[in-house]
Amino acid sequence: MLEFSRPPREPDLEVELHLLPTESGGRAEAPLQGYRVPHDFGLPGEMNDGLYEFTGEPPAPGASQRAFVWLLAPDRNYGRFEPGFEFSIWEGRNIGTGRIICVLNAALAIAAQQVAPADGFAAR
């Protein structure tokens, strides 16, 4: 199995990710650390890939877990996010939902102010 390696920059978001149960159209297995998946952030006709580092074990289908997310193209979402923003993740179909806990990349925040990292990130 490949070892997960963090990208060379700070994460963009801290999120709570919930995977649909397999019987409701979700994945058959838990994702791996470093999971990369398209997100629907509400931009018409556009998805935005993100890479996940889960704060604990990756969630099994039907479960939830917090994670740090690095967006492949964060510039597509400048000034659009705030805590509580909801999104979906996609693998040819909707397989889960997420909610932003903390906007770590200040350029992505609705307010043009510095956003402090979530508790525990600085210690990593």
Side-chain angles (χ1 to χ4, degrees), residues 34-65:
Y35 178 52
R36 183 173 160 183
V37 64
H39 297 78
D40 183 352
F41 289 126
L43 293 172
E46 186 172 324
M47 297 282 193
N48 193 299
D49 280 12
L51 184 137
Y52 278 73
E53 177 184 51
F54 296 101
T55 59
E57 290 296 315
S64 298
Q65 181 59 272

Side-chain angles (χ1 to χ4, degrees), residues 9-54:
R9 62 180 174 87
E10 295 299 312
D12 295 304
L13 305 168
E14 182 179 1
V15 305
E16 178 83 18
L17 182 70
H18 176 75
L19 297 179
L20 292 175
T22 304
E23 58 274 8
S24 296
R27 297 173 54 89
E29 300 176 351
L32 301 174
Q33 285 288 14
Y35 178 52
R36 183 173 160 183
V37 64
H39 297 78
D40 183 352
F41 289 126
L43 293 172
E46 186 172 324
M47 297 282 193
N48 193 299
D49 280 12
L51 184 137
Y52 278 73
E53 177 184 51
F54 296 101

